[in-house]
Amino acid sequence: MYIATCASRDRMMRRALTALAGAGKAGKLRRAVRRYLASSSARTHAFARAFRRKHGPLSKLPDKDLIAIPLIAASTSAWRYSGGNPVAIPRPKRDGTSYRYIVQANVFQFAEELLAAAAVNAVSTPYATQFMSPRTGGRPKFEQWLGENMPTAARVVTIDIPRCFATIRHSSVADALPLPGKVMNEVFFKPRARTKYLKPALIGPLENKAHHAQASSSICGIAEGSALSSVAAELVLANVLRDVAAVGDAVRVASHGDNLIVLLADATSEGLVRQVLNASICLHFEANPDELAGRISSGPASQPFYFCGRWHRWSEGKLRIKIDPARKDEFVLRTHIAIEEARALNVAAARNKRVQRLRRSVLGWLHQYEGSADLLVEILDLWPLIPAEISTDKATEGDMK
């Protein structure tokens, strides 16, 4: 199949980009990135991935539609805005009073984001102790790092960057992403400027973001949910980690998402670390120094500390981890509500999509908190309650309308 051949060629091109990046040949690398973004194989693979994510497996498509994918992909380009308005969906935050807006682009925009993100991932390397993405090992690697470094720590300093995606500076993103400026503008910044934000109540017409979102200024903010957003935030945060690590050899720093942790072998260096941490975050994010100072937590390494939804404690030569009970209860309650909402849907496509999302959410929590017996019991109770998908061969009356 031609699409499979394009996927194979795409992987070969990305390996070649990675090799060039490792060789340190900046000029050749810039030219190679431009060629990659223009490649018909890379564009076809990106569009096929976007279509699969938005509309399901390609194996279910008739041949005439499969043939159309390479033709449509040829019209997409990372060098020009494909048009249309992405939609930002409000998701409640844990505080119960504010919202996080997750942007959903159309299939053409998403394909362009995936293409640009593939190029960035091929030529960039996150900081050694960033553990959010799969390529850096995720939470298991973070916990391994923490267990290795806690024995020599005297103090633990933690902070989560407030509104990370909304406050990240465009200048820092432009410096961090190894993409041509026009590509960043067309794929990343221009769609964000045209995003339409749903009301938090999830009712009524689409509204302008100025009325129903914490709108970012023209100099900061990226769309959370974009294929490029996570890698952009990761590379910008790497600069903060480097700044803090440069304080001295007695400082160990790591991150998981927008949460940063610093282990200090010398407790007297805490004041300097706080200053550097605050200054570096303010350099790359539109942040209030006073607010940041209030979000920094610190304490003796011998005491339990909270980080990324878990309580950590070094005791008797072992790292002990426990899920925050409030976080678990919130997940269970939210899942029960989502199950009831899925049961109320009669249209096959909408219900099946919601059911699939529910299963991914539950399995994601099980994977994220692997080893928690309490959570396993909760998930075993939740799983049978998830409704079955509606067969597309037996479309309901709602589907036919």
Side-chain angles (χ1 to χ4, degrees):
M1 181 187 286
Y2 178 70
I3 295 175
T5 302
C6 287
S8 177
R9 290 174 180 169
D10 182 34
R11 287 189 289 269
M12 291 176 60
M13 287 186 289
R14 281 185 280 153
R15 286 195 292 268
L17 286 176
T18 301
L20 270 178
K25 299 178 179 179
K28 286 186 176 181
L29 183 61
R30 284 194 295 270
R31 292 191 292 272
V33 168
R34 289 173 176 268
R35 288 196 299 272
Y36 174 81
L37 294 173
S39 164
S40 60
S41 294
R43 284 186 290 165
T44 298
H45 185 214
F47 188 82
R49 289 170 61 204
F51 190 94
R52 190 181 299 115
R53 287 277 295 274
K54 294 286 184 181
H55 303 294
L58 299 180
S59 58
K60 294 184 178 181
L61 289 178
D63 289 345
K64 60 183 180 63
D65 291 336
L66 279 174
I67 292 172
I69 285 181
L71 301 177
I72 297 172
S75 66
T76 63
S77 172
W79 299 91
R80 64 175 181 272
Y81 180 50
S82 62
N85 297 316
V87 176
I89 310 297
R91 304 291 186 207
K93 289 187 177 181
R94 293 186 63 226
D95 58 18
T97 60
S98 58
Y99 292 84
R100 174 183 289 108
Y101 287 85
I102 307 300
V103 174
Q104 296 183 357
N106 63 42
V107 67
F108 299 99
Q109 294 162 350
F110 191 51
E112 292 159 4
E113 292 171 5
L114 288 173
L115 177 64
V120 172
N121 283 321
V123 303
S124 63
T125 304
Y127 192 70
T129 54
Q130 283 183 291
F131 298 107
M132 185 60 183
S133 63
R135 59 177 176 165
T136 54
R139 187 178 286 276
K141 279 291 185 182
F142 165 70
E143 292 176 355
Q144 178 184 338
W145 173 87
L146 193 58
E148 291 170 353
N149 288 276
M150 281 297 292
T152 59
R155 299 281 293 181
V156 178
V157 179
T158 62
I159 183 174
D160 66 306
I161 300 176
R163 303 176 300 281
C164 172
F165 289 99
T167 61
I168 193 168
R169 293 184 185 273
H170 289 177
S171 56
S172 294
V173 172
D175 291 340
L177 289 181
L179 291 172
K182 184 174 176 59
V183 170
M184 275 192 291
N185 184 55
E186 297 296 314
V187 174
F188 210 21
F189 298 137
K190 189 177 288 188
R192 169 189 163 273
R194 298 188 179 185
T195 298
K196 298 297 182 180
Y197 286 71
L198 282 175
K199 288 182 178 181
L202 300 181
I203 58 173
L206 294 179
E207 298 288 347
N208 188 292
K209 65 181 178 182
H211 298 102
H212 296 289
Q214 294 176 345
S216 303
S217 70
S218 60
I219 63 170
C220 66
I222 56 179
E224 186 172 359
S226 162
L228 264 173
S229 294
S230 294
V231 66
E234 183 178 54
L235 294 177
V236 171
L237 279 169
N239 294 322
V240 178
L241 269 64
R242 291 188 186 95
D243 290 343
V244 176
V247 170
D249 295 336
V251 176
R252 298 286 184 270
V253 60
S255 69
H256 190 273
D258 59 357
N259 300 272
L260 279 67
I261 181 170
V262 187
L263 304 181
L264 306 176
D266 180 8
T268 62
S269 64
E270 182 178 344
L272 178 57
V273 165
R274 280 174 171 263
Q275 292 177 16
V276 172
L277 188 60
N278 207 321
S280 186
I281 291 175
C282 288
L283 177 64
H284 298 292
F285 297 84
E286 191 76 6
N288 183 316
D290 293 334
E291 182 185 8
L292 281 178
R295 297 177 77 95
I296 297 177
S297 300
S298 66
S302 59
Q303 298 297 317
F305 62 92
Y306 186 76
F307 187 74
C308 288
R310 296 185 178 194
W311 284 99
H312 300 75
R313 180 168 61 95
W314 182 257
S315 175
E316 299 177 352
K318 185 176 181 180
L319 181 64
R320 305 180 188 279
I321 303 172
K322 183 179 180 181
I323 302 175
D324 183 1
R327 193 177 182 91
K328 183 189 70 175
D329 292 344
E330 177 204 4
F331 164 72
V332 172
L333 175 61
R334 190 172 65 243
T335 303
H336 274 294
I337 293 173
I339 287 172
E340 293 305 314
E341 291 174 346
R343 288 183 182 280
L345 295 174
N346 293 321
V347 178
R351 174 165 169 158
N352 293 349
K353 187 174 182 179
R354 183 72 63 87
V355 167
Q356 291 164 8
R357 190 165 66 215
L358 259 171
R359 289 173 178 161
R360 287 196 301 269
S361 172
V362 172
L363 291 175
W365 262 74
L366 182 60
H367 176 72
Q368 183 179 2
Y369 296 103
E370 185 178 359
S372 170
D374 291 344
L375 183 63
L376 178 60
V377 171
E378 296 281 6
I379 286 177
L380 289 175
D381 288 339
L382 284 171
W383 192 260
L385 301 179
I386 299 176
E389 296 181 38
I390 299 176
S391 173
T392 53
D393 296 332
K394 299 177 181 179
T396 65
E397 183 179 351
D399 292 319
M400 303 302 291
K401 292 181 180 180

